[in-house]
Amino acid sequence: MLKLHNMFKVYRTDEVETVALNGVNVEIDQGDFVAVMGPSGCGKSTLLNIVGLLDNPSDGDYFFFDENVAKYTEAQRAHIRKKNIGFIFQSFNLIDELNVAENIELALLYHDMPGAERKRRVAEVMDKMGIAHRAKHMPGQLSGGQQQRVAVARAVVGDQPLILADEPTGNLDSAHGQEVMEMLRTLNSEGTTIVMVTHSPAHADYARRTVNLFDGHVVTDAMRAA
């Protein structure tokens, strides 16, 4: 599904050069569930941003469905993103002025899709995520766990094959965090590919595979023991 080959990402200012990714090589197959771990500043978020086509590498190749997208323009990357990638963030990133259904539908507004089909998909995914009874509630009326359920629903409503999750349980207590991880595991079992950044070994155990980064390098890449 995707392949990073000899990838570098360097951030430069007038005085400082920071190497965030240093010759990274990673392949992720369709249907995989990968946890990316490592200490703060090791390159996890940079890796996720490049995989999510939010940024380009400084050097190296990125093959997305056999297409080298490493040097694509923002317009080209945006076109691929909206069809293929859903995002789940630690801070939920819901719009306070929109209710639950409207927040989820927002992910479909950039698709060429009739309004009735958008409503049908939103209703379907709300039911799947157990939040249909909250459709008219505003984000401020929801618990953290409910807000993250809405964020997951927004990420999957477009049926994108790849979900990127950046510390999806970071702002949740243990019970709600476990709920979100169970949802991700279910989505993966249904065929969605998931790449998740996490600091939690317990949540990494939900993944089939763990990639550990340190100082911009991949130091281990291992399948989870059965």
Side-chain angles (χ1 to χ4, degrees), residues 161-182:
L162 174 62
I163 297 295
L164 303 182
D166 191 1
E167 294 282 1
T169 61
N171 284 338
L172 303 176
D173 60 31
S174 58
H176 286 121
Q178 187 172 344
E179 284 181 14
V180 169
M181 292 310 306
E182 291 289 352

Side-chain angles (χ1 to χ4, degrees), residues 150-169:
V150 177
V152 173
R154 181 184 57 192
V156 303
V157 70
D159 286 333
Q160 286 92 339
L162 174 62
I163 297 295
L164 303 182
D166 191 1
E167 294 282 1
T169 61

